[in-house]
Amino acid sequence: MSEDGLSALDGEIRDLMRFAARGSMLPRFQNLAEGEIEMKGKDDPVTVVDSEVENFLTEALTKLAPGVPVVGEEAAHADESVLDHLSKQCWIIDPLDGTANFAEGKEPFGIIIALADAGHAVAGWLYDPIRDRLCHARAGEGAFVNGIKVIAKTTGQEPPVAAISKLFLNEDLIAEVDAKIAPHYTLTDIPRCAAEQYPRLALGENDISSFERTLAWDHAAGALWLNEAGGKAARLDGSAYRVDQHGMPGLLGASSPAIWDAYVQRVMAQPN
């Protein structure tokens, strides 16, 4: 897809996300029928909404950009060969980010779409259907919330606010968080929804968030958006997040590069 074609997409993507949310997601929020929730694995539910929204968006995006493959979370779960598309130009869809929240009848949850090329996100959209909030970004053009350009801001708190999940950490990593991070940051709960966590890192609510799982549908759009806002999302070694490094652990997002650097220095510091 050319840059000219990409620049015309924002309104169409917003309308597709809004249509999917209002047609499938919001009517079933706190109203899922028995049998409309299944478990893909431990702490990994899937609902009928995930499938419905992904099928709709896959068809719609294929019409928008014929020939550009779609990597959807549920499609990849059913057939891992779908992940092969991540190294070339492709759409990436999380049809219901925050499924665990949605299945429990609580917020936040959202829809995430990214467009990637050669392993890097070039555009991303994060939609919150409850607030009708769209965060979007294109590489090199800045970050926007409902069409208004935004610049990342910190919480201004000291110590900084860190949203750190221990959900996918082993005992050694949990001990490291307790020893190196907890004494120097104000720890807060994660929203269990990347479509909400990334905006929190740029809009003055959180300063740091560390992600152990870095699946493309969760992070492609958000990492791009945060970087375009002037925050920082990168691997702990400072390398850029790539969507085709599927399964590679470790990603850190921060409200500013300085806060990102300070956190990494603490994590990497050797014990006395």
Side-chain angles (χ1 to χ4, degrees):
M1 178 176 294
S2 67
E3 289 189 10
D4 289 342
L6 180 59
S7 64
L9 279 180
D10 292 330
E12 293 182 82
I13 298 294
R14 178 203 61 220
D15 291 345
L16 289 175
M17 295 171 122
R18 185 179 286 163
F19 183 87
R22 293 178 179 178
S24 179
M25 192 175 291
L26 294 179
R28 286 196 177 91
F29 180 48
Q30 301 179 333
N31 193 37
L32 284 168
E34 184 177 351
E36 291 186 331
I37 307 173
E38 298 178 1
M39 296 302 295
K40 293 189 291 185
K42 183 182 178 182
D43 297 317
D44 194 10
V46 62
T47 74
V48 65
V49 174
D50 295 76
S51 299
E52 284 185 2
V53 172
E54 183 167 314
N55 290 340
F56 166 73
L57 290 176
T58 296
E59 181 178 353
L61 293 173
T62 299
K63 290 180 179 178
L64 274 180
V68 179
V70 177
V71 178
E73 178 179 4
E74 304 315 319
H77 177 73
D79 179 6
E80 287 192 0
S81 68
V82 171
L83 299 173
D84 294 341
H85 296 304
L86 290 173
S87 61
K88 52 192 175 183
Q89 189 175 59
C90 65
W91 296 104
I92 304 170
I93 301 173
D94 190 336
L96 176 50
D97 184 52
T99 299
N101 295 336
F102 187 87
E104 295 173 11
K106 64 184 184 182
E107 302 177 51
F109 54 87
I111 303 173
I112 304 176
I113 297 175
L115 182 65
D117 197 2
H120 294 281
V122 296
W125 300 264
L126 304 96
Y127 181 62
D128 178 341
I130 296 294
R131 298 173 180 80
D132 194 31
R133 181 189 68 193
L134 178 67
C135 299
H136 79 273
R138 288 191 296 274
E141 298 185 22
F144 300 82
V145 176
N146 290 339
I148 299 173
K149 193 169 187 177
V150 296
I151 303 298
K153 62 181 179 180
T154 71
T155 64
Q157 296 187 37
E158 190 57 44
V161 178
I164 307 296
S165 173
K166 298 180 181 179
L167 187 62
F168 301 109
L169 301 183
N170 59 36
E171 291 185 3
D172 289 342
L173 289 174
I174 290 173
E176 186 170 310
V177 169
D178 291 341
K180 293 184 176 181
I181 304 306
H184 306 287
Y185 294 86
T186 300
L187 299 187
T188 189
D189 289 337
I190 63 165
R192 295 196 69 181
C193 175
E196 172 63 18
Q197 184 62 75
Y198 278 103
R200 288 185 182 185
L201 288 170
L203 301 179
E205 296 183 56
N206 293 167
D207 290 303
I208 283 283
S209 192
S210 179
F211 307 99
E212 182 66 11
R213 294 204 310 176
T214 62
L215 303 173
W217 38 82
D218 289 326
H219 298 286
L224 172 67
W225 183 84
L226 180 59
N227 283 325
E228 287 293 318
K232 183 172 181 177
R235 300 288 187 180
L236 288 177
D237 63 1
S239 62
Y241 173 74
R242 292 181 59 93
V243 304
D244 54 358
Q245 293 173 326
H246 193 78
M248 179 178 175
L251 177 64
L252 181 66
S255 56
S256 76
I259 288 177
W260 192 98
D261 289 343
Y263 184 94
V264 170
Q265 287 175 7
R266 289 196 184 280
V267 170
M268 297 302 185
Q270 297 297 318
N272 294 327

